[in-house]
Amino acid sequence: MATAASDGPDLRGHREHRGWNSLLLACGLLCCAPVFALDPERAIGQLTHVWYENQLPQGTVLSIAQRDDGSMWFATYGGLVRHSGAGFDSIDQRVAPALRSSAITAVHVDRAGTLWVGTLNGGLYRRRGRALEPMPLPERIESVFGIVQDRAGALWLTTNAGVARMDADGTRLLGIDSGFPPRGFYRAIVADAQGGVWIAADGLGVVHWHDGAVEILDTGRGLPTNAVYSLAIDASGTVWAGTQAGPVRYRDGGFEREPRAAALDDKRIYSLFGDSDGTLWFAPLGVGICRLTASRFDCDGTLAGMPGETVRSMFEDREGNVWMGTTSSGVHRFSDSKLVTVTGAMASNAVRAVYEDATGTLWVGTDGAGLARYADQVLQPADGINARLPSRLVRAIEADAAGNLWVGGTEGASRIAPDGSVRNFGIADGLPGTIVFAFAPARDGGMWVGTLQGVARIDGDRVIGIEGTRGDDVRALHEDADGRLWIGLRSGLRCLAAGVLDRCGTDGLPGMSVFAFRPEADGDLWLGTSIGMMRLRDGKVAAFTQRAGFYGDAVFAILDDDDGFFWVSSNRGIARIARADIEALDRGEVAQIEPVWFGKDDGMLSSQANGASQTPAWRSRDGRLWFGTANGVVIVDPDRLLRNALPPPVAVEQALVDGRDVDPDDVGRIGPGVGRIELRYAAMSYVAPAAVRYRYRMQGFDREWIDAGTGRSAVYTNLPPGPYEFRVIASNNDGVWNDTGASVRFAIVPSWYETWWFRALAALAALGLLAAVYRVRLWRLHERERELTREVAQRTEALRTANAQLQRLASLDGLTRIANRGAFNVQLALAWQAHVARGEPLSVLLCDIDAFKAYNDSCGHLAGDAALTAVAGALSDALRSPADLAARYGGEEFAVLLPACGVAQAHTVAQRLLDAVRALRIDHPASEAAAHITISVGVASTEGLAVDASDDLVRAADQALYRAKAGGRDRVCGSAQASRQ
């Protein structure tokens, strides 16, 4: 039953090196083990969840592995799939002819970095370079369902014919003579650190092999049923089994239940997995995803693509991301993020207000679902309170000294007493406006209320409107230690002190909105405004806008983490800005600073933070920061801000030479005559793939590194012959660079006419030719001496002809081949003289192509040149007679000279020009005047216009052209004086 394997599973001579096995295993674990693990304190729903379905050739993912280069590999019934952070590349029989089956059932990367691939009815393969190599197996083995490597380095396979072990001596099926049960179906296989192998045998329980001995663990050894579907080994080395009746763990010679996971005791566990942090992941049928951590057990059945699914495989990559392959919906990735977004099962998760009360309850106001609480790591609607609120559109939340909770919405303010009773206040009670945006507790009792139509104060059940504020759109309120009320408006800043309303000792900040106040212990007051941050100190306003990285960004809230950083919410996301940077900017030590911006790549479901009202963000007592966004509440924990310190592996994945695919590891010498080289590369970081950045450089051509951003390819055309080295480096989502990166070396072979020997021969030939030319030249000098007189005459005539030709060319525009501005000016002067001498009318038209810059920008300059030429021809063809002159006056502007032409006839010619250009029907997608190229024409004539010089006539035509363009373009306008007549 043994079959020889010529070179084994990359483990030849393992017997001679048996003493090194433990060391090799430890090194292998260090190389392959994840550097991080998913945060066990986050709810499953708070992890970043990415679902890949349509990118795969088939939706069933049976096995997952990761190679040392960082690439992810997936086994599907539609082929072997490789993923490097962006796309998914399918490898099937069309790509790899060696494959006898495209139904891939297992993938595994051994400690030597070799990728092993098991198939359905196609045997076993290993990947070497870019090719799959079939491996010899005993003749009865057709399908391979599972692959693991034991501590000794041997590969174990579960197959259609039973269990097989592959080592340097070959591959052997293990049957009854080896202690294994009669041939059956094996669902799962794992190898432990002690050298043992565990196999789930359908209907028999679990088979445990160790040092050649086999034992069968069934219901007599603690299994709740012999139907075992899955196996896993956790971080402590404990073996877990997923059965038809729930999960169990192996301890002290038998299996036992885990009481904390009792909720799964009657569930089918088709897949389970232990991550590097000690967390156990379960995929019970019909429940969703469950997790057992050191502190709790939780499940989530709401994840997109998961309800009703069966998870067939789980895997943890080197960055700690957990991947789950399903039966029909592809593969799912779960990752940690810097920020956590919390939502709830509510009508709306658009959060406009956040507030923590004295009891520690965190209240959330939504735009459509009313009031909610943060509990059990989700948002839960406060249905009892919402039933008594006048509106479910909440804008502000605050509490007073008596423990009342105040809620502002689009239909007034509501006061919720500690006993749960609700008192609503609206316009009928004296509020100046229905929409309440802001609250501020008054020092001497009561609550200040800011509305769309002014400020009021509520004392008990009495509402007092503040005169002078009626009609003001109030967005923020703050009462300082001196009892002065600061009022942030949509249109500036006001203060109320002792009944007097003023501009707070400032100009009132006209032209901007004030959305937030943040007082400091030293008396400074920070403002969040529609254009950035402002600071009021000793009556002076300092603006931190573009210099502080706020390029017109509204700042809705300003929080302090007590660790030297401001955190702000904005229409651009959430930003962290160092106080030390602001102080350096304030002292003039630096000219520019930039906040660190957080968005979707960092865990936000929406990068739009909500604001323009009070309390859109809050700092809770535990130091966490809470920000309302268009989709959920974003939690920032400054003390647990995850940083991905792992530089991403980088690989050049593909090299295309004039469209031909070349192995990037062996490009070698190419050419001659290479026109285009494209190099496609990838950095394998999966925490936030969209945030990976690249730089590349072609040494021997590029002087500096080229910042490619998120681009994943470099293209070079017409590189000169010579040696080159292409290098690419990349950073992960936290800007940690792999400065070593990847490289490709190659040389472009010169064409025969580019070689040194050809150039040397060409130089010698040129010298010989020069010598011959010199001798012929001497002979011709004697001959020409006799013909000198005749030649001088011929040249004189030729010079006269050339001068005439040059003079004609000098009067033409080089592009349009009609008269240029110089020729126009000359003809205008002559025509003016004729006008003065004979009294004949003279008219000038100025024509301008409408929105021509936009045409150039959208269609390109070559198209613009063609359009100019076409318009010039149309204008020339539409003139009355050869006496008229059309000239290019400059850029897209043309001038037309009409001798002996009065006002009426000039307008007729102008309309003819307008129609001629329209008739060209040249598409102009960027024009607001028409769908095609049009012109505007200004008309000026000596008839009906008092002008003293030709310049006045041109100036009048220019003014008429201006009116034509101002009036909507694609029209004719006459001079103002002529129009009045």
Side-chain angles (χ1 to χ4, degrees):
M1 299 192 47
T3 300
S6 60
D7 39 11
D10 288 351
L11 296 161
R12 294 185 296 275
H14 73 285
R15 291 178 178 174
E16 291 80 357
H17 300 284
R18 201 174 184 87
W20 292 93
N21 281 337
S22 298
L23 178 60
L24 289 173
L25 174 61
C27 292
L29 291 175
L30 286 173
C31 293
C32 302
V35 178
F36 312 103
L38 297 183
D39 186 351
E41 298 304 316
R42 294 187 179 182
I44 296 173
Q46 292 179 354
L47 299 171
T48 297
H49 172 214
V50 181
W51 174 20
Y52 305 101
E53 180 183 24
N54 297 326
Q55 297 91 330
L56 301 177
Q58 197 270 339
T60 305
V61 179
L62 298 171
S63 181
I64 307 171
Q66 185 176 30
R67 296 196 69 184
D68 294 345
D69 65 0
S71 57
M72 300 296 301
W73 295 81
F74 306 98
T76 80
Y77 284 132
L80 177 65
V81 178
R82 180 182 185 275
H83 176 54
S84 58
F88 290 77
D89 299 319
S90 298
I91 301 171
D92 53 24
Q93 291 166 303
R94 293 169 296 180
V95 178
L99 273 176
R100 291 191 292 117
S101 169
S102 291
I104 311 300
T105 49
V107 288
H108 176 76
V109 176
D110 66 21
R111 290 190 292 278
T114 301
L115 176 69
W116 296 86
V117 180
T119 69
L120 182 67
N121 300 324
L124 178 70
Y125 300 82
R126 67 179 172 189
R127 186 172 172 90
R128 284 196 166 182
R130 305 176 77 191
L132 287 175
E133 175 185 5
M135 300 300 296
L137 293 173
E139 61 180 358
R140 286 193 293 156
I141 297 179
E142 298 176 349
S143 302
V144 177
F145 303 111
I147 309 170
V148 297
Q149 187 177 30
D150 66 19
R151 187 180 65 177
L155 287 183
W156 289 72
L157 314 174
T158 55
T159 77
N160 64 294
V163 178
R165 188 173 188 267
M166 176 188 292
D167 58 21
D169 294 328
T171 303
R172 185 166 65 94
L173 274 170
L174 304 176
I176 298 175
D177 58 333
S178 301
F180 280 76
R183 174 177 149 190
F185 183 72
Y186 298 98
R187 289 183 177 272
I189 182 169
V190 294
D192 62 32
Q194 290 72 42
V197 177
W198 303 73
I199 308 169
D202 189 20
L204 296 175
V206 176
V207 178
H208 179 210
W209 178 94
H210 189 269
D211 286 339
V214 177
E215 61 177 337
I216 298 177
L217 306 169
D218 54 16
T219 53
R221 299 284 292 276
L223 283 176
T225 171
N226 287 337
V228 181
Y229 301 132
S230 54
L231 293 169
I233 300 178
D234 67 18
S236 68
T238 300
V239 176
W240 290 74
T243 78
Q244 192 177 35
V248 289
R249 63 187 176 192
Y250 183 79
R251 183 173 291 178
D252 298 329
F255 284 97
E256 65 179 16
R257 297 280 194 182
E258 164 55 72
R260 293 185 302 145
L264 303 180
D265 283 351
D266 60 344
K267 301 295 188 297
R268 296 188 180 193
I269 311 297
Y270 282 111
S271 185
L272 72 161
F273 179 76
D275 70 19
S276 57
D277 193 59
T279 296
L280 260 295
W281 296 81
F282 307 93
L285 189 65
V287 177
I289 301 300
C290 298
R291 183 182 58 174
L292 179 65
T293 72
S295 60
R296 69 176 183 275
F297 173 82
D298 61 335
C299 297
D300 193 325
T302 65
L303 301 169
M306 285 295 190
E309 255 305 351
T310 302
V311 175
R312 302 292 297 273
S313 55
M314 296 189 191
F315 183 82
E316 183 180 29
D317 68 24
R318 63 197 295 270
E319 293 177 301
N321 306 297
V322 172
W323 300 75
M324 298 186 186
T326 67
T327 296
S328 60
S329 66
V331 68
H332 299 249
R333 172 172 57 83
F334 296 87
S335 306
D336 272 328
S337 55
K338 298 183 185 305
L339 315 182
V340 173
T341 300
V342 180
T343 59
M346 303 185 298
S348 170
N349 276 291
V351 176
R352 301 297 295 264
V354 187
Y355 183 83
E356 184 185 37
D357 66 18
T359 68
T361 300
L362 191 86
W363 297 93
V364 171
T366 70
D367 205 359
L371 203 60
R373 300 180 183 90
Y374 175 74
D376 297 327
Q377 298 185 316
V378 296
L379 300 184
Q380 298 179 357
D383 293 329
I385 296 175
N386 288 332
R388 287 171 284 173
L389 296 180
S391 170
R392 298 294 178 92
L393 304 173
V394 177
R395 294 294 180 267
I397 308 173
E398 185 59 84
D400 59 24
N404 298 307
L405 189 71
W406 291 77
V407 177
T410 58
E411 298 297 332
S414 300
R415 183 180 64 207
I416 305 165
D419 63 4
S421 60
V422 178
R423 168 69 162 92
N424 296 317
F425 299 88
I427 289 182
D429 300 286
L431 280 183
T434 55
I435 305 178
V436 173
F437 290 110
F439 293 113
R443 292 175 56 218
D444 54 356
M447 182 66 71
W448 295 104
V449 182
T451 79
L452 184 66
Q453 294 295 323
V455 179
R457 177 171 169 169
I458 302 178
D459 260 333
D461 289 338
R462 184 181 173 211
V463 179
I464 307 166
I466 305 304
E467 290 301 324
T469 68
R470 187 168 295 276
D472 289 339
D473 186 350
V474 180
R475 296 305 174 117
L477 295 172
H478 163 65
E479 185 174 349
D480 64 21
D482 298 326
R484 178 159 60 167
L485 182 68
W486 295 75
I487 305 171
L489 305 174
R490 264 291 189 184
S491 56
L493 178 67
R494 299 291 184 273
C495 283
L496 179 68
V500 177
L501 197 67
D502 60 25
R503 297 179 183 273
C504 312
T506 70
D507 63 353
L509 306 183
M512 70 182 70
S513 302
V514 177
F515 297 130
F517 296 104
R518 174 161 190 84
E520 299 278 78
D522 59 5
D524 289 353
L525 183 64
W526 288 91
L527 310 180
T529 78
S530 55
I531 60 172
M533 295 171 62
M534 304 279 180
R535 186 193 62 210
L536 272 67
R537 174 182 290 173
D538 300 328
K540 296 181 179 179
V541 179
F544 297 92
T545 54
Q546 290 190 10
R547 295 187 306 147
F550 297 102
Y551 303 99
D553 303 301
V555 172
F556 299 134
I558 305 172
L559 302 180
D560 192 334
D561 64 6
D562 286 344
D563 197 27
F565 294 95
F566 279 138
W567 291 78
V568 304
S569 64
S570 167
N571 49 9
R572 186 176 163 192
I574 295 171
R576 182 185 66 188
I577 185 167
R579 280 179 173 268
D581 289 347
I582 293 178
E583 292 165 1
L585 186 66
D586 200 29
R587 292 192 298 267
E589 296 172 359
V590 295
Q592 179 74 37
I593 60 176
E594 289 292 337
V596 177
W597 288 96
F598 299 87
K600 284 189 173 182
D601 290 338
D602 304 294
M604 297 179 69
L605 297 182
S606 170
S607 58
Q608 171 63 55
N610 279 334
S613 59
Q614 197 92 352
T615 64
W618 195 264
R619 179 183 172 184
S620 54
R621 293 177 181 83
D622 59 9
R624 289 188 292 176
L625 313 177
W626 305 73
F627 294 91
T629 75
N631 192 359
V633 176
V634 171
I635 306 173
V636 178
D637 189 343
D639 295 331
R640 294 171 62 87
L641 201 62
L642 300 175
R643 185 172 186 271
N644 186 357
L646 196 64
V650 185
V652 177
E653 297 187 302
Q654 192 175 23
L656 297 174
V657 178
D658 285 336
R660 180 173 57 90
D661 200 345
V662 178
D663 185 352
D665 295 328
D666 188 24
V667 177
R669 294 166 61 85
I670 55 178
V674 172
R676 188 178 191 272
I677 297 176
E678 181 178 1
L679 297 151
R680 299 175 181 175
Y681 45 81
M684 274 60 83
S685 176
Y686 305 101
V687 175
V692 173
R693 296 291 184 269
Y694 299 92
R695 294 176 188 153
Y696 64 80
R697 180 184 182 189
M698 183 72 79
Q699 293 182 346
F701 184 78
D702 295 324
R703 294 184 178 180
E704 304 291 340
W705 286 92
I706 296 171
D707 190 344
T710 59
R712 289 164 54 102
S713 69
V715 176
Y716 292 86
T717 57
N718 299 316
L719 287 174
Y724 295 95
E725 181 180 12
F726 175 79
R727 289 192 58 205
V728 57
I729 60 178
S731 71
N732 64 16
N733 59 304
D734 272 317
V736 178
W737 285 87
N738 178 345
D739 289 323
T740 301
S743 62
V744 172
R745 292 186 177 183
F746 61 93
I748 298 179
V749 177
S751 300
W752 61 270
Y753 53 82
E754 296 173 310
T755 58
W756 68 268
W757 54 265
F758 175 78
R759 290 174 179 171
L761 288 176
L764 289 174
L767 289 174
L769 181 61
L770 287 174
V773 168
Y774 176 71
R775 296 176 67 88
V776 172
R777 180 70 172 168
L778 286 176
W779 176 79
R780 284 186 61 86
L781 283 174
H782 292 295
E783 289 295 316
R784 290 191 63 187
E785 187 175 358
R786 291 190 295 269
E787 301 174 3
L788 185 58
T789 301
R790 181 176 58 84
E791 210 172 300
V792 168
Q794 290 175 344
R795 289 189 178 216
T796 301
E797 181 61 27
L799 182 60
R800 219 173 7 251
T801 303
N803 284 337
Q805 179 69 6
L806 285 174
Q807 186 173 3
R808 188 184 68 83
L809 290 175
S811 66
L812 294 180
D813 176 61
L815 174 66
T816 62
R817 309 305 295 170
I818 65 173
N820 57 25
R821 184 167 181 166
F824 176 81
N825 290 338
V826 170
Q827 293 302 317
L828 176 61
L830 294 174
W832 183 261
Q833 292 175 5
H835 158 68
V836 172
R838 294 193 292 271
E840 295 177 346
L842 176 64
S843 297
V844 171
L845 312 182
L846 285 184
C847 312
D848 188 87
I849 300 178
D850 295 325
F852 189 70
K853 181 180 183 302
Y855 183 86
N856 266 338
D857 290 343
S858 61
C859 300
H861 288 279
L862 289 177
D865 289 346
L868 284 171
T869 303
V871 169
L875 296 180
S876 297
D877 294 340
L879 298 180
R880 300 174 304 167
S881 69
D884 297 342
L885 176 69
R888 188 180 178 189
Y889 202 66
E892 68 272 20
E893 194 172 18
F894 297 84
V896 176
L897 183 63
L898 302 174
C901 182
V903 172
Q905 194 175 8
H907 274 271
T908 300
V909 173
Q911 186 62 45
R912 190 186 307 160
L913 301 181
L914 201 72
D915 294 338
V917 173
R918 288 172 179 167
L920 294 175
R921 307 297 294 179
I922 301 174
D923 290 340
H924 191 340
S927 175
E928 296 179 358
H932 50 268
I933 282 183
T934 58
I935 61 172
S936 298
V937 184
V939 179
S941 176
T942 57
E943 184 182 90
L945 185 66
V947 291
D948 299 321
S950 60
D951 289 346
D952 295 336
L953 189 61
V954 173
R955 192 175 300 111
D958 186 57
Q959 292 171 353
L961 173 62
Y962 176 83
R963 284 193 300 277
K965 297 181 77 66
R969 299 185 173 89
D970 189 20
R971 63 192 61 212
V972 176
C973 278
S975 61
Q977 198 172 8
S979 298
R980 287 194 298 269
Q981 292 179 353

